[in-house]
Amino acid sequence: MSRVMAKRVHKALADDNLQTALTRLFGLIKFVRQITFANLDFDALSQEIRRIKENSIANLPQLVEQFKSQAAKAGAVVYEAEDAEAACEYILKLAQEHQVKHIVKSKSMLGEEIELREHLESAGIGVTETDIGEWIVQLARERPAHLVGPAVHKTMEQVAELVSKATGQELGTEPQALLDATRRVLRRAYIEAEMGISGANIAIAETGTLTIVTNEGNGCMATTLPPIHVAVVGYEKIVPGWKDAAAIFRLLSRCTAGMKMPVYVSHITGPSRTDALSGKVLYGAGGPAEVHIVFVDNGRWQMRETEEFREALYCIKCGACLNVCPVFASVAGQTYGYIYHGGVGAILTAFLHDVDEAEEVASLCLGCMACKAACPARIDIPRMITRLRASLAEEKGLPWLNKMAYRGILKYPDRMRKLIKVGTYLQRPFVDKDLMIRRLPVPLNSLTKAISLPALASEPLLEKLTNFQLPVPSDKPRVALYAGCVASYLYPEVGEHVMKITDECGAKPYYPEGQACCGAPAYFAGDVETALGLAKTNIVALEVKKPDYIITVCPGCAAMLKKEYLNLTVAEPRWNQRARVLAERIRDFSQLVLELTPSTREKPLRNHKVTYHDPCHLKRGIGVVNEPRELLKREGFELVEMAEADACCGFGGHVVLSYPELSKSILNRKLDSIEATGVEMVVTNCLPCVLQLRGGFDKRRSHIKVMHSAELLADTFMMGR
Amino acid sequence: MQTEVAGMVERFKAEAGKAGALVYETSSAEDACNYILRLARERDVKSAVKSKSKLADEIKLRKHLESRGIDVKETDLREWMAQLVGRKPAERITMAQLGKLMSKATGEKLDSEPRALLNAASRAIRQYCIDADMGISEADLAIAETGTLVIAGNEGVTRLVAVLPRIHITLVNYRNVVELLEDVYVRLKSPKRDGSVKLVPGYVTYITGRNTTADIPGAVLARAQGPSEEHIVLVRRTSRRNVA
């Protein structure tokens, strides 16, 4: 986190116009997404795109050759540019040779990346952006705020002023009038331009074809009306054939704007040609006489060589990840600083622009994994973010505070316990009667800005569980509790409830001593070494008495134990094998209770409505969605679903510490959708989520109760059985 | 087989309609022509540009519109030359004669040099497209899965006809409806008679529904930069005798 980024975040959150516009845009996006994704086999379609992109990138050198020879056959000129400068220079020279004074340009992320417009303008050539949003942004001398709506951050009044100035007319704020005026200006630009510049969404090797997608129709005009067409294309856009392009169309616009198909798709194979006049092929028959295709490397080939980040090249720039990103919905694009936004943006920024800026972008990530679930190319964005942080930590070292926290405290459970003991004394002046901390002094005051915090428990879980510490041999399934830090030190009562309920389920619960922090905080901050150490500590601790199951109350820990330990130990086969055994034993609380007591019984009628919040790491981390709901219903609760039950609560990553204001904005959306259900209680299966939601409702002075499933069921479980 | 085609056509109509196109279906040439004429009159259309279309030829659309006072310009180069000459095919005409005809049509003084003629013709045709109120195309294919029109051509003007005028009408022969996006390439790359595979058409445009924009804050507005109306006239079968 840096001050600059914190400032940008603050600015975006304080901008009422932006917030209103974003609320409207995301409402619309979510609405249309629901319609277009209904009855769609997203898994099958995205697997197909994944397969196509994997193949294409693997065979890229051959595909480039094939594309070049086919495009040449069709009369196009192909130029390969190593970097931004080479690409810009080639195009500038071409423009100067043809005495080009005006250029029309359709939207291209690569164009933004290589700063093509700026390059041409500084040489005295007029460039008009033709996507309406992009044109507005150009008039305002800004960079696009959003992939789909580049000018989403502008109000009607601002747009009216910009368009009035550009057209020399006094235009009011009537949208239709603004659009008509804009269309007239752009029409003139297409007709007058001597060159049209586009990107390409896809490049098809088998025929040397460029594929350009637009909804407004500007792509068709910018590439047909001017006598020269130049396309800037990233190598990663190449696919083998037309059928591959078809597979991409199926998801591209759905992901971008909730449309089944883009309104216009232009396939361009060579310049305009005819043999009508002399029997010989002549170019320039109503369309451009020259088509130039500029392939740009600018870091892409290096990315391809870097196994860990290669899959970022599978990105089809649809924006699906941004449309579901809670951070993006709060701050939009310009906050990110560079043109590539969101999670995948961090990786692209690192390779195609600047590593330090990439670190800033990555610092905004909640780790909620919504992007991964929405990606039509199934790119594991969260994993790459973790890798990026790890390689940055390796290169530059961790900040001293983090290093001390991870390597000096987290790593040693005893030290941590002692320190927290000290904390329980230090916190006393700030703890209210109901054991909440509502205000902390400087420099910790930012922590209690967004939420009220729970006090550290006077007795940690370990001290409370003396009864359960000795497992006795019996036929009952042995269940080890992995508590994690939040249950151990903040909510030990939840650990107790879990033990009691597991016992009532007919199992033998116990609490293996020697368990430590799961290592997630260190791991996701890039400290692989500490995380690996903690993984080994926990693997050893959780092998004691060979449990049949390991029950967890925090899905963050569960996902760490179940999935990341396998990744961490991959270089050490023996540890890896032990991690595998551990992984198979991991169960979420609700999952295990259902597994142990599968028989349903008559519902005790409670006449009590609750809503359920899906923790990110439970749903998208380890795939548990239905069990918590089923258990609630079985135990007689009436479930009222909230809108976007699986949206992050804002606690994820280090966002809650680094950007509390941002965390609060995300939390507020969650609290709003809980309140909108009208129920008095929200249940979830994650203690950090409980902390966040409870703290948030406390700040709102709301009466809505927040409960972990284990807490809710503690008193009533087995009643009436 | 018959029902399969019928199902595909129904799906095409439904999807195109959902995307914002207005679909009219007919099995009579006269009805198709009258529908388009009525539309042109209702929308105050004075001039139209037209891409090459077998179906339009079959139903004699140009003549139908021209004889009722609507100016229709062919935009495919061969078709335009034939329109100038007044008969088809135009190939037998000499370059010198063509030069004269084109000079007259464009108001430029042209000799018989092909390059110069082509440049003049391009300028003229481009201008027709810019000035026209209505564009008339025929879809080479129509995709049922997405309600998409596929319009191909080597000259690129087919796209100007489809995008520049404020009203766009696309004729679709029901025989050209295919099921999936993947079917397009299979149909486009059909081999030449001599066995070699022909080049894919230089410009292949897919149009799905009506163009819109959400870039002006406050509303999603129809007609971003293309036509304000997308009409599809789906012709089931035609019989020449029906045409007056």
Side-chain angles (χ1 to χ4, degrees), chain A residues 625-642:
Chain A
V625 181
N626 293 326
E627 290 90 334
R629 291 179 166 84
E630 248 175 70
L631 183 61
L632 288 172
K633 284 189 217 159
R634 194 187 80 176
E635 294 303 308
F637 293 94
E638 189 182 327
L639 191 63
V640 182
E641 290 286 351
M642 69 176 97

Side-chain angles (χ1 to χ4, degrees), chain A residues 21 39 119 130 180 213 229 237 245 247 336 471 505 516 532 553 650:
Chain A
N39 308 320
H119 193 87
T130 60
D180 291 342
V213 166
H229 170 209
K237 295 295 170 67
Y336 289 88
C505 288
L532 179 60
V553 283

